[in-house]
């Protein structure tokens, strides 16, 4: 008879080499200590509740116990060993977590909740580490999948890490005393400036007087119908900020390419015809003029980006990098409706715009700089009759609810000349003039500011430059005038200048027709 063979190994089982294998980051003892402390002291959840959520716990049983504690606290019921046991029993999960005996053990392992906040923050850190590992592993697996589009993978990766980082951005409440010190310091700095500005200056005298410059953490929306000169206005400001005031400016153009954008700046700076620059048909003296005046722009701290379909996540990453590397002081986005909210899963376009708007405001606060976002207006303006009807209103903003709510300031660009309106109610000429209507100003006054618009150069100017006449938009003392806004309570405009503009510089007069024909906007 054949001898039976015993295939069972008599060797001791091999030990797991913990130095080779890796365990997910965890702190089980601290999890037990926190749960026990929550059932010992009534006010402990007030401290822990804003730090931890159920998924922060590594063990599933600990998650279920914390959910029961969370449920009791939300109903303002006592949290102790007995109430938690009953809550778990009511949910049918008491036996899953180990029964009443395990709950009793948790309370017996801690003496007090003295260090519960410190322990909770360690648990939170371990959770973040596990989430980074989970996201990275998922991305790595998908990166090996040839069927997944790389752009989609990048968007998903960016969205996942962005969501994780947003959840980790917690700011403690600050007692008012140090905030007052900071505010007083800002007032002192502003008082030492001869121009009285506390923010980033636009270079437009009356606009800066009304706003005190674009303020830090503000989101400013500048809206207009097509052909009003939105891009021309912000490029004029970018040029003034960078060249006159040496402020770093980031311009994100979702509509135009970098070369088109820079060509606009070159036309504005050199005062050469756009058509000539486009074709390169310049006389020798014009080449010299181009070479001479372009030197101002070469080293200007203006940073341009023409990424099409820019997402909020991409914008945030680029702005953080620009702030760190070049200390930019303002961001300009042309324009808001061309952005997307990839990774946020909006239910509708209006909800997507709302997400974008909210994130832009959050980015302005995070970087402590103003963000200017251009926006389109709906066709409501075109359908209204009369000179007053052509003036934009807050309700004309596309997806106006979210934009109007999130913006600290809403400005409209209005050029009456475009609608064949050549005179205002007082008979003043509106040829070559544009109005900046400050319709909403959370921290200041509203009103209208008139500027000169030079369509052939794609730029706005202060009205007192005298290019089209020194008296237009000025009072008897030679000072530029701010006109009261008709979108708010009516105010008497005393001292409104009379008469139109001549030409004090011997330059050829421009035709009294809309100037946007020379260059598209």
């Amino acid at each position: 008879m054949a001898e039976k063979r015993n295939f069972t190994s008599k060797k001791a089982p091999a030990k797991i080499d913990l130095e080779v294998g890796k365990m997910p980051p965890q702190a089980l003892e601290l999890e037990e200590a926190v749960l026990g402390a929550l059932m010992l002291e009534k006010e402990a959840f007030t401290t822990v509740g804003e730090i931890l959520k159920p998924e922060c716990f590594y063990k599933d049983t600990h998650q279920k116990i914390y959910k029961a504690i969370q449920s009791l606290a939300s109903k303002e019921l006592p949290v102790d060993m007995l109430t938690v046991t009953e809550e778990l029993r009511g949910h049918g999960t008491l036996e899953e977590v180990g029964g009443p005996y395990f709950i009793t053990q948790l309370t017996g392992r801690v003496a007090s909740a003295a260090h519960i906040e410190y322990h909770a923050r360690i648990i939170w850190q371990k959770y973040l580490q596990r989430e980074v590992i989970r996201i990275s592993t998922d991305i790595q697996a998908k990166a090996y999948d040839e069927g997944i589009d790389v752009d989609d993978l990048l968007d998903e990766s960016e969205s996942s890490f962005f969501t994780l980082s947003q959840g980790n951005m917690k700011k403690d409440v600050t007692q008012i005393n140090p905030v007052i010190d900071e505010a007083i310091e800002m007032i002192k700095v502003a008082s030492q400036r001869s121009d009285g500005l506390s923010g980033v200056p636009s270079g437009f005298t009356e606009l800066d007087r009304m706003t005190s410059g674009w303020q830090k953490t503000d989101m400013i929306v500048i809206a207009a119908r097509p052909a009003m000169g939105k891009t021309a206005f912000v490029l004029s400001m970018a040029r003034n900020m960078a060249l006159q005031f040496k402020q770093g400016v980031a311009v994100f153009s979702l509509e135009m390419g970098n070369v088109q954008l820079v060509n606009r700046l070159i036309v504005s700076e050199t005062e050469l015809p756009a058509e000539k620059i486009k074709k390169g048909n310049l006389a020798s003296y014009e080449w010299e003029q181009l070479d001479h005046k372009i030197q101002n722009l070469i080293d200007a701290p203006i940073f341009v980006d023409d990424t099409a379909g820019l997402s909020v996540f991409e914008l945030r990453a680029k702005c953080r990098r620009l702030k760190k590397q070049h200390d930019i002081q303002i961001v300009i986005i042309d324009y808001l409706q061309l952005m997307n909210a990839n990774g946020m899963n909006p239910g509708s376009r209006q909800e997507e715009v709302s997400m974008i708007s909210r994130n832009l405001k959050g980015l302005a606060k995070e970087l402590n700089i103003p963000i200017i976002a251009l926006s389109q207006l709906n066709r409501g303006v075109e359908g209204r009759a009369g000179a007053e009807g052509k003036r934009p209103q807050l309700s004309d903003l596309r997806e106006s609810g979210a934009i109007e709510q999130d913006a600290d300031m809403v400005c409209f660009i209005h050029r009456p000349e475009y609608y064949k309106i050549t005179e205002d109610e007082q008979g003043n000429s509106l040829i070559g003039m544009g109005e900046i209507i400050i319709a909403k100003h959370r921290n200041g006054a509203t009103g209208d500011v008139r500027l000169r618009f030079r369509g052939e150069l794609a730029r706005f100017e202060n009205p007192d430059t005298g290019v089209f006449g020194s008296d237009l938009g000025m009072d008897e003392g030679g000072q530029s005038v701010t006109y009261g806004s008709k979108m708010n309570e009516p105010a008497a405009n005393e001292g409104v200048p009379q008469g139109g503009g001549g030409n004090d510089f011997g330059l050829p007069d421009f035709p009294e027709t809309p100037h946007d024909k020379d260059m598209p906007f």
Side-chain angles (χ1 to χ4, degrees):
M1 187 175 178
E3 184 182 351
K4 290 183 179 180
R5 294 183 182 179
N6 185 2
F7 291 95
T8 305
S9 173
K10 295 182 180 179
K11 294 181 180 179
K15 293 183 179 180
I16 298 175
D17 189 350
L18 294 177
E19 294 183 1
V20 176
K22 292 183 179 179
M23 289 287 289
Q26 55 187 284
L28 294 180
E29 290 183 356
L30 292 181
E31 289 182 11
E32 293 176 351
V34 166
L35 292 174
L38 286 172
M39 290 184 282
L40 282 180
E41 293 196 15
K42 181 181 178 181
E43 301 299 327
F45 187 80
T46 306
T47 303
V48 173
E50 60 183 29
I51 301 173
L52 297 179
K53 46 192 177 182
E55 54 266 37
C56 294
F57 291 84
Y58 180 68
K59 283 188 70 173
D60 184 58
T61 55
H62 293 169
Q63 291 184 18
K64 290 174 180 176
I65 295 171
Y66 186 75
K67 282 181 182 177
I69 294 172
Q70 200 176 46
S71 176
L72 289 167
S74 66
K75 292 181 283 190
E76 298 186 356
L77 296 174
V79 178
D80 57 37
M81 181 179 65
L82 297 176
T83 57
V84 171
T85 300
E86 286 303 314
E87 186 72 14
L88 288 167
R89 183 177 284 116
H91 291 159
T93 56
L94 179 60
E95 297 307 319
E96 293 177 20
V97 303
Y101 177 71
F102 182 72
I103 304 299
T104 306
Q105 279 189 318
L106 290 176
T107 56
R109 290 176 182 174
V110 288
S112 72
H115 306 294
I116 191 169
E117 182 177 355
Y118 181 74
H119 294 163
R121 294 198 181 278
I122 294 176
I123 294 171
W124 171 257
Q125 290 170 8
K126 300 297 182 185
Y127 163 72
L128 286 180
Q129 289 175 281
R130 293 197 302 273
E131 284 297 286
V132 170
I133 293 170
R134 180 188 63 79
I135 293 170
S136 302
T137 303
D138 185 48
I139 293 169
Q140 185 181 35
K142 290 181 178 179
Y144 281 105
D145 188 344
E146 297 292 341
I148 294 180
D149 184 76
V150 174
D151 291 331
D152 291 341
L153 181 60
L154 288 173
D155 283 339
E156 183 181 343
S157 307
E158 191 175 54
S159 174
S160 298
F161 281 113
F162 174 76
T163 303
L164 187 62
S165 65
Q166 284 292 96
N168 191 39
M169 287 174 60
K170 291 182 170 63
K171 191 171 182 180
D172 293 332
V173 177
T174 305
Q175 200 272 334
I176 195 172
N177 188 39
V179 183
I180 290 177
D181 292 339
E182 184 179 350
I184 295 297
E185 187 61 31
M186 290 176 63
I187 294 171
K188 289 179 180 179
V189 171
S191 69
Q192 294 170 0
R193 295 187 57 161
S194 58
D195 52 18
L197 301 181
S198 57
V200 180
S202 68
F204 300 125
T205 309
E206 289 303 315
L207 183 61
D208 286 339
R209 185 185 65 79
M210 290 191 69
T211 63
S212 297
W214 306 120
Q215 299 299 309
K216 294 178 179 179
T217 75
D218 275 6
M219 186 183 84
I220 302 104
V221 172
I222 297 176
R225 288 291 294 156
M228 287 295 114
K230 295 188 295 295
T231 304
F233 177 66
V234 294
L235 284 182
S236 298
M237 284 200 302
R239 182 264 175 202
N240 295 340
M241 294 167 184
L243 297 187
Q244 289 180 237
F245 303 100
K246 310 302 180 186
Q247 304 283 323
V249 184
V251 181
F252 292 88
S253 175
L254 286 78
E255 189 175 31
M256 301 170 63
N258 283 343
V259 176
Q260 287 178 294
L261 210 64
V262 172
N263 275 341
R264 287 280 195 97
L265 284 169
I266 291 173
V267 169
S268 175
E269 190 67 21
T270 62
E271 301 189 356
L272 293 171
E275 196 64 26
K276 280 194 169 187
I277 286 182
K278 185 178 180 180
K279 295 179 179 179
N281 186 22
L282 301 176
S284 58
Y285 76 92
E286 289 174 321
W287 279 109
E288 291 179 8
Q289 183 176 339
L290 174 67
D291 184 60
H292 174 68
K293 290 197 172 184
I294 205 174
Q295 298 302 316
N296 295 331
L297 292 174
I298 289 175
D299 296 321
I302 300 176
F303 306 91
V304 294
D305 185 294
D306 62 356
T307 303
L310 186 71
S311 72
V312 173
F313 310 119
E314 291 172 317
L315 176 73
R316 184 182 294 271
K318 290 182 178 185
C319 288
R320 282 172 174 166
R321 188 160 57 248
L322 284 168
K323 180 65 178 176
K324 183 178 181 180
Q325 295 177 353
H326 303 286
D327 193 27
I328 56 170
Q329 296 300 307
I330 191 167
V331 171
I332 297 171
I333 302 164
D334 184 11
Y335 59 91
L336 189 148
Q337 279 85 2
L338 289 180
M339 293 188 69
N340 66 66
N342 279 357
M344 293 186 179
N345 301 318
S348 64
R349 176 57 184 165
Q350 188 167 354
E351 188 177 338
E352 183 175 27
V353 171
S354 175
M355 290 177 175
I356 294 168
S357 175
R358 190 161 54 249
N359 275 272
L360 290 181
K361 174 59 182 175
L363 181 60
K365 290 184 68 176
E366 178 188 338
L367 300 182
N368 197 33
I369 60 174
I371 291 181
I372 295 177
L374 300 189
S375 177
Q376 291 280 21
L377 294 178
N378 60 40
R379 293 187 177 89
V381 177
E382 311 297 336
R384 296 195 292 264
E388 195 63 27
K390 299 302 180 186
R391 292 171 62 81
Q393 304 170 5
L394 286 172
S395 58
D396 295 327
L397 278 168
R398 283 189 184 173
E399 295 89 18
S400 61
I403 299 174
E404 182 183 342
Q405 177 182 334
D406 295 327
D408 296 280
M409 188 182 299
V410 178
C411 303
F412 297 121
I413 301 175
H414 177 52
R415 291 197 295 114
E417 181 184 11
Y418 180 81
Y419 297 106
K420 306 294 190 293
I421 302 169
T422 58
E423 289 186 349
D424 63 14
E425 295 174 355
Q426 287 77 31
N428 299 311
S429 174
L430 296 175
I431 302 298
M433 298 299 291
E435 293 180 353
I436 308 301
I437 303 169
I438 303 177
K440 175 188 176 182
H441 192 182
R442 188 168 284 162
N443 303 306
T446 58
D448 300 353
V449 176
R450 286 191 180 176
L451 300 174
R452 294 191 183 280
F453 174 68
R454 298 189 63 182
E456 79 287 353
L457 297 181
R459 80 183 186 197
F460 282 80
E461 300 173 341
N462 281 306
D464 53 358
T465 56
V467 177
F468 290 97
S470 59
D471 59 335
L472 187 57
M474 300 174 67
D475 60 17
E476 295 179 357
Q479 299 297 315
S480 54
V481 175
T482 303
Y483 295 81
S485 174
K486 297 178 182 178
M487 298 184 66
N488 304 287
E489 295 184 6
N493 291 330
E494 297 182 4
V496 174
Q498 304 294 322
N503 193 319
D504 297 339
F505 285 79
L507 298 173
D509 290 329
F510 291 94
E512 297 184 358
T513 55
H515 297 300
D516 58 277
K517 293 181 180 179
D518 294 315
M519 179 168 289
F521 291 93

